[in-house]
Coordinates of all heavy atoms in Angstrom, one line a residue:
M91 N 11.9 -78.1 67.3 CA 10.6 -78.7 67.2 C 10.3 -79.4 68.5 O 11.1 -79.9 69.2 CB 10.6 -79.8 66.1 CG 9.3 -80.6 66.0 SD 9.2 -81.5 64.5 CE 8.6 -83.0 65.1
V92 N 9.0 -79.3 68.9 CA 8.5 -79.9 70.2 C 7.9 -81.2 69.8 O 7.1 -81.3 68.9 CB 7.5 -79.0 70.9 CG1 6.9 -79.7 72.0 CG2 8.1 -77.7 71.3
H93 N 8.4 -82.3 70.4 CA 7.9 -83.6 70.0 C 6.4 -83.8 70.3 O 5.9 -83.1 71.2 CB 8.7 -84.7 70.8 CG 10.1 -84.8 70.3 ND1 10.5 -85.3 69.1 CD2 11.3 -84.3 70.8 CE1 11.8 -85.2 68.9 NE2 12.3 -84.6 70.0
Y94 N 5.8 -84.8 69.7 CA 4.4 -85.0 69.8 C 3.9 -85.2 71.2 O 4.6 -85.9 72.0 CB 4.0 -86.2 69.0 CG 2.5 -86.6 69.3 CD1 1.5 -85.9 68.6 CD2 2.2 -87.6 70.1 CE1 0.2 -86.2 68.9 CE2 0.9 -88.0 70.4 CZ -0.1 -87.2 69.8 OH -1.4 -87.5 70.0
T95 N 2.9 -84.5 71.6 CA 2.1 -84.8 72.8 C 0.6 -84.8 72.5 O 0.2 -84.2 71.5 CB 2.4 -83.7 73.9 OG1 2.0 -82.4 73.3 CG2 3.8 -83.6 74.3
R96 N -0.1 -85.4 73.3 CA -1.6 -85.5 73.1 C -2.1 -84.1 73.2 O -1.7 -83.3 74.0 CB -2.2 -86.4 74.2 CG -3.7 -86.5 74.1 CD -4.3 -87.2 75.2 NE -4.0 -86.7 76.5 CZ -4.6 -85.7 77.1 NH1 -5.5 -85.0 76.5 NH2 -4.3 -85.3 78.3
P97 N -3.1 -83.7 72.3 CA -3.7 -82.4 72.4 C -4.3 -82.1 73.8 O -4.9 -83.0 74.4 CB -4.8 -82.5 71.4 CG -4.4 -83.5 70.4 CD -3.6 -84.5 71.2
G98 N -3.9 -81.0 74.3 CA -4.4 -80.6 75.6 C -3.6 -81.1 76.8 O -3.9 -80.8 77.9
A99 N -2.5 -81.9 76.5 CA -1.7 -82.4 77.6 C -1.0 -81.3 78.3 O -0.5 -80.3 77.8 CB -0.7 -83.4 77.0
D100 N -0.9 -81.5 79.7 CA -0.2 -80.5 80.5 C 1.3 -80.5 80.2 O 2.0 -79.5 80.6 CB -0.4 -80.9 82.0 CG -1.8 -80.8 82.4 OD1 -2.6 -80.0 81.8 OD2 -2.2 -81.4 83.4
T101 N 1.9 -81.5 79.6 CA 3.3 -81.6 79.3 C 3.8 -80.7 78.2 O 5.0 -80.5 78.0 CB 3.7 -83.0 79.1 OG1 3.0 -83.5 78.0 CG2 3.5 -83.9 80.3
V102 N 2.9 -80.2 77.3 CA 3.3 -79.5 76.1 C 3.8 -78.1 76.5 O 4.7 -77.6 75.9 CB 2.3 -79.5 75.0 CG1 1.1 -78.6 75.4 CG2 2.9 -79.1 73.7
M103 N 3.1 -77.4 77.4 CA 3.5 -76.0 77.7 C 4.9 -75.8 78.1 O 5.6 -74.9 77.6 CB 2.5 -75.4 78.7 CG 2.7 -73.9 78.9 SD 2.7 -72.9 77.3 CE 1.0 -72.8 77.1
P104 N 5.4 -76.6 79.0 CA 6.9 -76.4 79.4 C 7.8 -76.6 78.2 O 8.8 -75.9 78.1 CB 7.1 -77.5 80.5 CG 5.8 -77.8 81.0 CD 4.8 -77.6 79.9
C105 N 7.5 -77.5 77.3 CA 8.3 -77.7 76.1 C 8.3 -76.5 75.2 O 9.3 -76.1 74.6 CB 7.8 -79.0 75.4 SG 7.9 -80.5 76.3
I106 N 7.1 -75.9 75.0 CA 6.9 -74.7 74.2 C 7.7 -73.6 74.8 O 8.5 -72.8 74.2 CB 5.5 -74.3 74.0 CG1 4.7 -75.4 73.2 CG2 5.4 -72.9 73.3 CD1 3.2 -75.2 73.1
E107 N 7.6 -73.4 76.1 CA 8.3 -72.3 76.8 C 9.8 -72.4 76.7 O 10.5 -71.4 76.5 CB 7.8 -72.2 78.3 CG 6.4 -71.8 78.5 CD 5.9 -71.9 79.9 OE1 6.5 -72.7 80.7 OE2 4.9 -71.2 80.2
E108 N 10.3 -73.7 76.8 CA 11.7 -73.9 76.7 C 12.2 -73.6 75.3 O 13.2 -72.9 75.1 CB 12.0 -75.3 77.0 CG 13.5 -75.7 77.0 CD 13.8 -77.1 77.3 OE1 13.0 -77.8 78.0 OE2 14.8 -77.6 76.8
A109 N 11.5 -74.0 74.3 CA 11.9 -73.8 72.9 C 11.8 -72.3 72.6 O 12.6 -71.7 71.8 CB 11.1 -74.6 72.0
A110 N 10.8 -71.6 73.1 CA 10.5 -70.2 72.8 C 11.5 -69.2 73.3 O 11.6 -68.1 72.9 CB 9.1 -69.8 73.3
V111 N 12.4 -69.7 74.2 CA 13.4 -68.8 74.8 C 14.3 -68.3 73.6 O 14.7 -67.2 73.6 CB 14.2 -69.5 75.9 CG1 15.5 -68.8 76.3 CG2 13.3 -69.8 77.1
D112 N 14.6 -69.2 72.7 CA 15.6 -68.9 71.7 C 14.9 -68.8 70.3 O 15.6 -68.5 69.3 CB 16.6 -70.0 71.6 CG 17.5 -70.1 72.8 OD1 17.8 -69.1 73.4 OD2 17.8 -71.3 73.3
H113 N 13.6 -69.1 70.2 CA 13.0 -69.1 68.9 C 11.6 -68.4 68.9 O 10.8 -68.7 69.8 CB 12.8 -70.5 68.4 CG 14.1 -71.3 68.4 ND1 15.0 -71.2 67.5 CD2 14.5 -72.3 69.3 CE1 16.0 -72.0 67.7 NE2 15.7 -72.7 68.8
P114 N 11.3 -67.5 67.9 CA 10.0 -66.9 67.9 C 8.9 -67.8 67.3 O 7.7 -67.5 67.4 CB 10.2 -65.7 67.0 CG 11.3 -66.1 66.1 CD 12.2 -67.0 66.9
A115 N 9.3 -69.0 66.8 CA 8.3 -69.9 66.2 C 8.7 -71.3 66.7 O 9.9 -71.6 66.8 CB 8.3 -69.8 64.7
V116 N 7.7 -72.1 67.0 CA 8.0 -73.5 67.4 C 7.0 -74.4 66.6 O 5.8 -74.1 66.5 CB 7.7 -73.6 68.9 CG1 7.8 -75.1 69.4 CG2 8.6 -72.7 69.7
L117 N 7.5 -75.5 66.1 CA 6.7 -76.4 65.4 C 6.4 -77.6 66.4 O 7.2 -78.2 66.9 CB 7.5 -77.0 64.2 CG 6.7 -77.9 63.3 CD1 5.4 -77.2 62.7 CD2 7.6 -78.4 62.2
L118 N 5.1 -77.8 66.6 CA 4.6 -78.9 67.5 C 4.5 -80.1 66.6 O 3.7 -80.2 65.6 CB 3.3 -78.5 68.1 CG 3.2 -77.2 68.9 CD1 1.8 -77.0 69.5 CD2 4.3 -77.3 70.0
G119 N 5.2 -81.2 67.0 CA 5.1 -82.4 66.2 C 3.7 -82.9 66.1 O 2.9 -83.0 67.0
N120 N 3.3 -83.2 64.8 CA 2.0 -83.8 64.5 C 0.8 -82.8 64.8 O -0.3 -83.2 64.9 CB 1.7 -85.1 65.1 CG 2.6 -86.2 64.6 OD1 3.8 -86.2 64.9 ND2 2.1 -87.0 63.7
H121 N 1.2 -81.5 65.0 CA 0.1 -80.5 65.3 C 0.3 -79.3 64.3 O -0.6 -79.2 63.4 CB 0.2 -80.0 66.7 CG -0.2 -81.0 67.7 ND1 -1.5 -81.4 67.9 CD2 0.6 -81.6 68.7 CE1 -1.5 -82.3 68.9 NE2 -0.3 -82.4 69.4
G122 N 1.3 -78.5 64.5 CA 1.5 -77.4 63.6 C 2.3 -76.3 64.4 O 2.9 -76.6 65.4
P123 N 2.4 -75.1 63.8 CA 3.2 -74.1 64.3 C 2.6 -73.3 65.5 O 1.4 -73.1 65.5 CB 3.5 -73.2 63.1 CG 2.3 -73.3 62.3 CD 1.8 -74.8 62.5
V124 N 3.4 -72.7 66.3 CA 3.1 -71.7 67.3 C 4.1 -70.6 67.1 O 5.3 -70.8 67.1 CB 3.2 -72.2 68.7 CG1 3.0 -71.1 69.7 CG2 2.2 -73.4 69.0
V125 N 3.6 -69.4 66.8 CA 4.5 -68.2 66.7 C 4.2 -67.2 67.7 O 3.1 -67.1 68.3 CB 4.3 -67.6 65.2 CG1 4.7 -68.6 64.2 CG2 2.9 -67.1 65.0
S126 N 5.2 -66.3 68.0 CA 5.0 -65.2 68.9 C 5.5 -64.0 68.3 O 6.4 -64.0 67.5 CB 5.7 -65.5 70.2 OG 7.1 -65.6 70.0
A127 N 4.9 -62.9 68.6 CA 5.3 -61.6 68.1 C 4.7 -60.5 69.0 O 3.9 -60.8 69.9 CB 4.8 -61.4 66.6
D128 N 5.1 -59.2 68.7 CA 4.6 -58.1 69.5 C 3.3 -57.6 69.1 O 2.8 -56.6 69.6 CB 5.7 -57.0 69.5 CG 6.0 -56.5 68.1 OD1 5.4 -57.0 67.1 OD2 6.8 -55.5 68.0
G129 N 2.6 -58.2 68.2 CA 1.2 -57.8 67.8 C 0.7 -58.9 66.8 O 1.4 -59.7 66.3
L130 N -0.6 -58.8 66.6 CA -1.3 -59.7 65.8 C -0.8 -59.7 64.3 O -0.5 -60.7 63.7 CB -2.8 -59.5 65.8 CG -3.7 -60.4 64.9 CD1 -3.5 -61.8 65.3 CD2 -5.1 -60.0 65.0
E131 N -0.6 -58.5 63.8 CA -0.1 -58.4 62.4 C 1.2 -59.0 62.2 O 1.5 -59.8 61.3 CB -0.1 -56.9 62.0 CG 0.3 -56.7 60.5 CD 0.2 -55.3 60.1 OE1 0.4 -54.4 60.9 OE2 0.0 -55.1 58.9
N132 N 2.1 -58.8 63.2 CA 3.5 -59.4 63.1 C 3.4 -60.9 63.3 O 4.2 -61.6 62.7 CB 4.4 -58.7 64.1 CG 4.8 -57.3 63.7 OD1 4.8 -57.0 62.5 ND2 5.2 -56.5 64.6
A133 N 2.5 -61.3 64.1 CA 2.4 -62.8 64.3 C 1.9 -63.5 63.0 O 2.3 -64.5 62.7 CB 1.4 -63.1 65.5
V134 N 0.9 -62.8 62.3 CA 0.5 -63.3 61.0 C 1.6 -63.3 60.0 O 1.8 -64.3 59.3 CB -0.7 -62.5 60.5 CG1 -1.1 -62.9 59.1 CG2 -1.9 -62.6 61.4
F135 N 2.4 -62.3 60.0 CA 3.6 -62.3 59.1 C 4.5 -63.4 59.4 O 5.1 -64.1 58.5 CB 4.3 -60.9 59.1 CG 3.5 -59.8 58.5 CD1 3.7 -58.5 59.0 CD2 2.6 -60.0 57.5 CE1 2.9 -57.4 58.5 CE2 1.8 -58.9 57.0 CZ 2.0 -57.6 57.5
A136 N 4.8 -63.6 60.7 CA 5.7 -64.6 61.1 C 5.2 -66.0 60.7 O 5.9 -66.9 60.3 CB 6.0 -64.6 62.6
A137 N 3.9 -66.2 60.9 CA 3.3 -67.5 60.5 C 3.4 -67.7 59.0 O 3.7 -68.9 58.6 CB 1.8 -67.6 61.0
E138 N 3.1 -66.7 58.2 CA 3.2 -66.8 56.8 C 4.7 -67.1 56.4 O 4.9 -67.9 55.5 CB 2.7 -65.5 56.1 CG 1.2 -65.4 56.2 CD 0.7 -64.1 55.6 OE1 1.6 -63.1 55.4 OE2 -0.5 -63.9 55.3
E139 N 5.6 -66.4 57.0 CA 7.0 -66.7 56.7 C 7.4 -68.1 57.0 O 8.1 -68.8 56.2 CB 7.9 -65.7 57.4 CG 9.4 -65.8 57.0 CD 10.2 -64.7 57.7 OE1 9.7 -63.7 58.1 OE2 11.4 -65.0 57.8
L140 N 7.0 -68.6 58.2 CA 7.3 -69.9 58.6 C 6.7 -70.9 57.6 O 7.3 -71.9 57.1 CB 6.8 -70.2 60.0 CG 6.9 -71.6 60.5 CD1 8.4 -72.0 60.6 CD2 6.3 -71.8 61.9
E141 N 5.4 -70.7 57.2 CA 4.7 -71.6 56.2 C 5.5 -71.7 54.9 O 5.7 -72.7 54.3 CB 3.3 -71.1 56.0 CG 2.5 -72.0 55.1 CD 1.1 -71.6 55.0 OE1 0.5 -71.1 56.0 OE2 0.5 -71.7 53.9
E142 N 5.9 -70.5 54.4 CA 6.6 -70.5 53.1 C 8.0 -71.2 53.2 O 8.4 -71.9 52.3 CB 6.8 -69.0 52.6 CG 5.5 -68.4 52.2 CD 4.9 -69.2 51.0 OE1 5.6 -69.5 50.0 OE2 3.6 -69.4 51.0
T143 N 8.7 -71.0 54.4 CA 9.9 -71.7 54.6 C 9.8 -73.2 54.6 O 10.5 -73.9 53.9 CB 10.6 -71.2 55.9 OG1 10.8 -69.8 55.8 CG2 11.9 -71.8 56.1
I144 N 8.8 -73.6 55.3 CA 8.5 -75.1 55.4 C 8.2 -75.6 54.0 O 8.6 -76.7 53.6 CB 7.4 -75.4 56.4 CG1 7.9 -75.1 57.8 CG2 6.9 -76.8 56.3 CD1 6.8 -75.1 58.9
K145 N 7.4 -74.9 53.2 CA 7.0 -75.3 51.9 C 8.2 -75.4 51.0 O 8.4 -76.4 50.3 CB 6.0 -74.3 51.3 CG 5.5 -74.7 49.9 CD 4.3 -74.0 49.4 CE 4.6 -72.5 49.1 NZ 3.5 -71.8 48.5
L146 N 9.2 -74.5 51.1 CA 10.4 -74.6 50.3 C 11.2 -75.8 50.7 O 11.8 -76.5 49.9 CB 11.2 -73.3 50.5 CG 10.7 -72.1 49.8 CD1 11.5 -70.8 50.2 CD2 10.6 -72.3 48.3
I147 N 11.3 -76.1 52.0 CA 12.1 -77.2 52.5 C 11.5 -78.5 51.9 O 12.2 -79.4 51.4 CB 12.1 -77.3 54.0 CG1 13.0 -76.2 54.6 CG2 12.6 -78.7 54.5 CD1 12.8 -76.0 56.0
F148 N 10.2 -78.7 51.9 CA 9.5 -79.9 51.4 C 9.6 -79.9 49.9 O 9.8 -81.0 49.3 CB 8.1 -80.0 51.9 CG 8.0 -80.6 53.2 CD1 7.9 -79.8 54.3 CD2 8.1 -82.0 53.4 CE1 7.9 -80.3 55.6 CE2 8.0 -82.5 54.7 CZ 7.9 -81.7 55.8
L149 N 9.6 -78.8 49.2 CA 9.7 -78.8 47.7 C 11.1 -79.2 47.3 O 11.3 -79.7 46.2 CB 9.3 -77.5 47.1 CG 7.8 -77.2 47.2 CD1 7.6 -75.7 46.7 CD2 7.0 -78.1 46.3
A150 N 12.1 -78.9 48.2 CA 13.5 -79.1 47.8 C 13.9 -80.5 47.9 O 14.9 -80.9 47.4 CB 14.4 -78.3 48.7
G151 N 13.1 -81.4 48.5 CA 13.5 -82.8 48.6 C 12.6 -83.6 49.4 O 11.6 -83.1 50.0
D152 N 12.8 -84.9 49.3 CA 11.9 -85.9 50.0 C 12.2 -85.9 51.5 O 13.4 -86.0 51.9 CB 12.2 -87.3 49.4 CG 11.2 -88.3 49.9 OD1 10.1 -87.9 50.3 OD2 11.5 -89.5 49.9
R153 N 11.2 -85.7 52.3 CA 11.4 -85.7 53.7 C 10.5 -86.8 54.3 O 9.4 -87.1 53.9 CB 10.8 -84.4 54.3 CG 11.6 -83.1 53.8 CD 12.9 -83.1 54.5 NE 13.6 -81.9 54.0 CZ 14.9 -81.8 53.8 NH1 15.6 -82.9 54.0 NH2 15.5 -80.7 53.4
P154 N 11.1 -87.5 55.3 CA 10.3 -88.6 56.0 C 9.1 -88.0 56.7 O 9.1 -86.9 57.3 CB 11.3 -89.2 56.9 CG 12.3 -88.1 57.2 CD 12.4 -87.2 56.0
M155 N 8.1 -88.8 56.8 CA 6.9 -88.5 57.5 C 6.8 -89.3 58.8 O 7.1 -90.5 58.7 CB 5.6 -88.8 56.6 CG 4.3 -88.3 57.3 SD 2.9 -88.6 56.3 CE 3.2 -87.7 54.8
R156 N 6.5 -88.7 59.9 CA 6.4 -89.4 61.1 C 5.0 -89.6 61.5 O 4.2 -88.7 61.8 CB 7.1 -88.6 62.3 CG 7.2 -89.4 63.6 CD 7.8 -88.7 64.7 NE 6.9 -87.9 65.6 CZ 5.9 -88.5 66.3 NH1 5.6 -89.7 66.2 NH2 5.2 -87.7 67.1
H157 N 4.6 -90.9 61.4 CA 3.2 -91.2 61.7 C 3.1 -91.5 63.2 O 4.1 -91.9 63.9 CB 2.8 -92.5 61.0 CG 2.8 -92.4 59.5 ND1 1.7 -91.8 58.9 CD2 3.7 -92.6 58.6 CE1 2.0 -91.8 57.6 NE2 3.2 -92.2 57.4
L158 N 1.9 -91.3 63.8 CA 1.6 -91.6 65.2 C 1.7 -93.1 65.4 O 1.3 -93.9 64.5 CB 0.3 -91.1 65.6 CG 0.1 -89.6 65.7 CD1 -1.4 -89.3 66.1 CD2 1.0 -89.0 66.6
R159 N 2.2 -93.5 66.6 CA 2.2 -94.9 66.9 C 0.8 -95.3 67.3 O 0.0 -94.5 67.7 CB 3.2 -95.1 68.1 CG 4.6 -94.8 67.8 CD 5.5 -95.0 69.0 NE 4.9 -94.1 70.0 CZ 5.7 -93.5 70.9 NH1 7.0 -93.5 70.9 NH2 5.1 -92.7 71.9
H160 N 0.6 -96.6 67.2 CA -0.8 -97.2 67.5 C -1.2 -96.8 68.9 O -2.3 -96.5 69.2 CB -0.8 -98.7 67.3 CG -0.8 -99.1 65.8 ND1 -1.8 -98.8 64.9 CD2 0.2 -99.6 65.1 CE1 -1.5 -99.2 63.7 NE2 -0.2 -99.7 63.8
G161 N -0.2 -96.9 69.9 CA -0.5 -96.5 71.3 C -1.0 -95.1 71.4 O -1.9 -94.8 72.2
D162 N -0.3 -94.2 70.7 CA -0.8 -92.7 70.7 C -2.2 -92.6 70.1 O -3.0 -91.8 70.7 CB 0.2 -91.9 69.9 CG 1.6 -91.8 70.6 OD1 1.7 -91.8 71.8 OD2 2.6 -91.7 69.8
I163 N -2.5 -93.3 69.1 CA -3.8 -93.2 68.5 C -4.8 -93.8 69.4 O -5.9 -93.2 69.6 CB -3.8 -94.0 67.1 CG1 -2.9 -93.2 66.1 CG2 -5.2 -94.1 66.6 CD1 -2.7 -94.0 64.8
D164 N -4.5 -94.9 70.1 CA -5.5 -95.5 71.1 C -5.7 -94.5 72.2 O -6.9 -94.3 72.6 CB -4.9 -96.8 71.6 CG -4.8 -97.9 70.6 OD1 -5.5 -97.8 69.5 OD2 -4.1 -98.9 70.8
K165 N -4.7 -93.8 72.7 CA -4.9 -92.8 73.7 C -5.8 -91.6 73.3 O -6.6 -91.2 74.0 CB -3.5 -92.3 74.2 CG -2.7 -93.2 75.0 CD -1.4 -92.6 75.4 CE -0.5 -93.7 76.1 NZ 0.8 -93.2 76.3
L166 N -5.6 -91.2 72.1 CA -6.4 -90.1 71.5 C -7.9 -90.6 71.4 O -8.8 -89.8 71.8 CB -5.9 -89.7 70.2 CG -4.7 -88.8 70.1 CD1 -4.2 -88.7 68.7 CD2 -4.9 -87.5 70.8
N167 N -8.1 -91.8 70.9 CA -9.4 -92.3 70.8 C -10.1 -92.4 72.2 O -11.3 -92.1 72.3 CB -9.4 -93.7 70.1 CG -9.1 -93.5 68.6 OD1 -9.4 -92.5 68.0 ND2 -8.5 -94.6 68.0
A168 N -9.4 -92.9 73.2 CA -9.9 -93.0 74.5 C -10.2 -91.6 75.1 O -11.2 -91.4 75.7 CB -9.0 -93.8 75.4
T169 N -9.3 -90.7 75.0 CA -9.4 -89.4 75.6 C -10.5 -88.6 75.0 O -11.3 -88.0 75.8 CB -8.1 -88.6 75.5 OG1 -7.0 -89.3 76.1 CG2 -8.2 -87.2 76.1
F170 N -10.6 -88.6 73.7 CA -11.6 -87.8 73.1 C -12.8 -88.6 72.6 O -13.7 -88.1 71.8 CB -11.0 -87.0 71.9 CG -9.9 -86.1 72.4 CD1 -8.6 -86.4 72.2 CD2 -10.3 -84.9 73.0 CE1 -7.6 -85.5 72.7 CE2 -9.3 -84.0 73.4 CZ -7.9 -84.3 73.3
R171 N -12.9 -89.8 73.0 CA -14.0 -90.7 72.7 C -14.3 -90.7 71.2 O -15.4 -90.5 70.7 CB -15.3 -90.3 73.4 CG -15.1 -90.5 74.9 CD -16.3 -90.1 75.7 NE -16.0 -90.1 77.1 CZ -16.7 -89.5 78.0 NH1 -17.8 -88.9 77.7 NH2 -16.4 -89.6 79.3
L172 N -13.2 -90.9 70.4 CA -13.3 -90.8 68.9 C -13.8 -92.1 68.4 O -14.4 -92.1 67.3 CB -11.9 -90.5 68.3 CG -11.4 -89.2 68.8 CD1 -10.0 -89.0 68.2 CD2 -12.3 -88.0 68.3
R173 N -13.6 -93.2 69.1 CA -14.1 -94.5 68.6 C -14.6 -95.3 69.8 O -14.1 -95.2 70.9 CB -13.0 -95.3 67.9 CG -12.5 -94.7 66.7 CD -11.6 -95.6 65.9 NE -11.1 -94.8 64.7 CZ -10.1 -95.1 64.0 NH1 -9.3 -96.2 64.4 NH2 -9.7 -94.4 63.0
G174 N -15.6 -96.2 69.5 CA -16.2 -97.0 70.6 C -15.2 -97.8 71.3 O -15.1 -98.1 72.4

């Protein structure tokens, strides 16, 4: 899993590239999955398989939820002008 970064941040791509060396799918913290494959159809299959696996993990037991810190929310609001 790649830890949370602000959407569009320059720091996320090196993290994805590092994780992708050993894994065809990467979960971006507080964002969602990124999958790679040799074609669109295989990428869709990989994304569906990942989604079903995650669903089974969550159905199997209680998992903690990681909320964004107030500082991260403030940065998003300022960057994307979400709030005055």
Side-chain angles (χ1 to χ4, degrees):
M91 179 166 134
V92 173
H93 293 288
Y94 173 77
T95 59
R96 178 184 57 77
D100 294 338
T101 57
V102 72
M103 186 54 78
C105 297
I106 294 171
E107 289 172 340
E108 181 180 335
V111 169
D112 298 319
H113 307 284
V116 177
L117 184 60
L118 303 180
N120 292 75
H121 291 290
V124 174
V125 298
S126 63
D128 59 359
L130 179 60
E131 186 175 27
N132 287 336
V134 170
F135 291 150
E138 288 176 345
E139 183 175 338
L140 178 62
E141 183 179 323
E142 289 300 314
T143 301
I144 292 169
K145 184 166 67 173
L146 289 172
I147 289 169
F148 277 96
L149 289 174
D152 188 27
R153 298 285 181 216
M155 186 179 298
R156 187 180 93 60
H157 295 278
L158 291 179
R159 296 177 304 217
H160 290 289
D162 292 327
I163 293 170
D164 292 342
K165 287 178 188 174
L166 288 171
N167 287 333
T169 300
F170 297 104
R171 299 180 185 162
L172 300 175
R173 295 189 181 160

